[in-house]
């Protein structure tokens, strides 16, 4: 069976087509649009310009799904739409204009899908995982192959950029303000403190576009050819990457425009959020996984 999926995130909207056969799935097509829908939210509402852009992208993806003869097309939204005041009107408009029914996924559901995506089919017995998106970050712990605890916090890279950063490269003062805010979020979630140490692991499994971008940036900085899947970074290396970009000034901006053109302004906040999560959880090393919420959604909602 051919299955189409649209992941409507705060930073990107992505369409993926899968072929499912005998409890295995193969990714056929992966297309994304950097929409930055969170930038179109004013006073808690998605403004008409944002709705129009979203409809334009979704219409194009619905046509692609039809062209690929997907038997089913599912669409889910995460922090991009679940927290806005006019979500009902936006979903009705999407349904009317494109025929797409959008499922609003809660933070807990998103973390569950991240967990499923990370641990299927490979069996990781215990650990801590995170998925940093544009609007939120999901953090979860698991043991003996079972999800233990999870939380969703409004600390996505685009959200943090909009809140704390005035230019492209973050200043030291802006970073300190962001780190203080992150600490205030973390202390409200009891299970997070030293959770990696309690589970007797030094690893933090990182998923999503921010984690992949961090790995890609590090590869380019050191001239590595290692694959993104399973790419390893120490907490110290995240710090070095951040300070290096700041010290490069305009050369750092040019470098980011070449390596990560769509994430030039959000990668530094992403580095800081990832580092802060790892440090608070007492993890020493980050392992990047290309699997995540879309894989988990597929596993949870199909014959897999």
């Amino acid at each position: 069976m051919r299955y189409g999926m649209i992941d409507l995130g705060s930073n990107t909207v992505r369409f993926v087509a899968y072929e499912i056969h005998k409890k295995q799935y193969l990714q056929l097509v992966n297309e994304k649009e950097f929409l930055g829908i969170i930038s179109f939210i004013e006073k808690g509402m998605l403004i008409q310009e944002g709705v129009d852009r979203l409809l334009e992208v979704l219409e194009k993806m619905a046509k692609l799904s039809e062209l690929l003869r997907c038997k089913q097309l599912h669409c889910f939204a995460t922090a991009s739409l679940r927290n806005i005041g006019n979500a009902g009107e936006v979903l009705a408009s999407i349904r009317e204009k494109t025929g797409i029914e959008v499922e609003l996924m809660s933070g807990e559901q998103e973390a569950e899908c991240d967990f499923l995506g990370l641990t299927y089919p490979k069996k990781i017995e215990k650990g801590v995982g995170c998925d940093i998106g544009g609007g939120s970050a999901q953090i979860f712990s698991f043991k003996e192959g079972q999800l233990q605890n999870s939380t969703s916090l409004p600390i996505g890279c685009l959200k943090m950029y909009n809140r704390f950063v005035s230019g492209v490269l973050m200043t030291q003062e802006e970073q300190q303000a962001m780190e203080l805010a992150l600490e205030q979020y973390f202390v409200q979630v009891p299970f997070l403190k030293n959770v990696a140490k309690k589970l007797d692991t030094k690893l933090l499994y990182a998923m999503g576009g921010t984690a992949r971008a961090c790995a890609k940036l590090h590869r380019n900085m050191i001239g590595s050819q290692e694959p993104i899947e399973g790419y390893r970074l120490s907490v110290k290396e995240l710090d070095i990457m951040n300070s290096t970009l700041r010290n490069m000034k305009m050369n750092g901006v040019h470098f980011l425009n070449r390596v990560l053109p769509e994430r030039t302004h959000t990668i530094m906040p992403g580095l800081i959020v990832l580092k802060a999560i790892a440090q608070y959880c007492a993890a020493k090393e980050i392992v990047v996984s290309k699997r995540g919420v879309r894989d988990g959604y597929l596993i949870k909602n199909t014959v897999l």
Side-chain angles (χ1 to χ4, degrees):
M1 183 181 77
R2 193 163 288 184
Y3 183 100
M5 185 189 304
I6 298 173
D7 176 356
L8 206 171
S10 298
N11 203 28
T12 60
V13 182
R14 189 182 293 265
F15 168 81
V16 187
Y18 299 96
E19 190 74 54
I20 302 174
H21 182 64
K22 293 184 178 178
K23 296 194 175 183
Q24 299 292 323
Y25 66 95
L26 175 68
Q27 189 178 116
L28 302 176
V29 175
N30 190 321
E31 293 287 333
K32 65 180 176 182
E33 291 268 354
F34 281 88
L35 180 56
I37 199 169
I38 199 171
S39 300
F40 295 100
I41 296 174
E42 295 180 4
K43 297 180 180 178
M45 312 285 270
L46 183 63
I47 62 173
Q48 192 59 46
E49 183 183 356
V51 175
D52 292 341
R53 279 286 292 121
L54 179 57
L55 290 173
E56 180 186 331
V57 171
L58 291 178
E59 280 184 306
K60 184 164 64 174
M61 290 181 171
K63 288 176 182 175
L64 180 56
S65 177
E66 188 177 344
L67 181 67
L68 292 167
R69 298 181 180 178
C70 293
K71 204 165 186 180
Q72 295 181 29
L73 174 63
H74 288 247
C75 178
F76 64 85
T78 52
S80 55
L81 296 183
R82 69 174 170 239
N83 297 322
I84 62 171
N86 59 337
E89 294 93 326
V90 173
L91 296 187
S93 184
I94 291 171
R95 189 184 307 115
E96 180 186 344
K97 299 288 185 181
T98 69
I100 295 173
E101 291 283 349
V102 180
E103 178 184 341
L104 284 184
M105 192 181 290
S106 71
E108 292 73 21
Q109 290 171 321
E110 194 174 352
E112 181 189 5
C113 288
D114 281 322
F115 163 71
L116 290 172
L118 175 66
T119 56
Y120 179 95
K122 57 185 179 183
K123 301 298 180 185
I124 306 171
E125 287 303 312
K126 62 181 179 181
V128 186
C130 72
D131 181 350
I132 304 167
S136 67
Q138 283 56 245
I139 312 170
F140 58 92
S141 65
F142 57 98
K143 188 177 180 181
E144 297 175 355
Q146 297 295 317
L147 184 64
Q148 297 288 303
N149 297 284
S150 68
T151 187
S152 179
L153 299 173
I155 57 172
C157 59
L158 185 55
K159 193 177 188 73
M160 299 305 273
Y161 172 83
N162 289 338
R163 182 176 169 187
F164 290 100
V165 187
S166 55
V168 178
L169 300 181
M170 184 180 298
T171 66
Q172 188 71 44
E173 293 75 19
E174 289 169 340
Q175 178 174 336
Q176 289 170 350
M178 183 185 294
E179 287 172 338
L180 180 61
L182 290 168
E183 177 84 14
Q184 291 169 347
Y185 280 115
F186 295 156
V187 296
Q188 297 176 45
V189 188
F191 88 87
L192 286 182
K193 187 67 174 175
N194 296 326
V195 64
K197 190 175 181 180
K198 292 171 186 173
L199 287 170
D200 191 27
T201 179
K202 296 180 179 179
L203 303 180
L204 171 68
Y205 295 96
M207 291 159 282
T210 298
R212 293 192 298 272
C214 289
K216 186 176 179 181
L217 179 62
H218 188 259
R219 282 201 322 181
N220 276 270
M221 282 182 159
I222 68 171
S224 170
Q225 296 298 318
E226 290 181 44
I228 297 297
E229 175 62 35
Y231 197 89
R232 292 188 174 228
L233 287 159
S234 69
V235 173
K236 186 177 180 181
E237 283 172 318
L238 294 176
D239 236 352
I240 293 170
M241 290 163 67
N242 205 19
S243 59
T244 299
L245 288 170
R246 182 181 294 116
N247 293 336
M248 287 172 71
K249 298 182 180 178
M250 279 309 297
N251 286 332
V253 176
H254 295 321
F255 177 71
L256 289 174
N257 278 332
R258 179 171 60 82
V259 178
L260 299 168
E262 304 93 347
R263 295 182 180 270
T264 299
H265 59 302
T266 60
I267 189 61
M268 286 183 74
L271 284 166
I272 291 165
V273 173
L274 182 56
K275 184 193 80 168
I277 292 171
Q279 286 183 322
Y280 199 83
C281 293
K284 303 295 183 186
E285 193 172 27
I286 292 95
V287 180
V288 177
S289 173
K290 291 178 75 174
R291 293 175 178 269
V293 64
R294 288 184 296 277
D295 302 84
Y297 186 89
L298 188 71
I299 292 159
K300 188 177 178 181
N301 291 282
T302 66
V303 292
L304 292 171

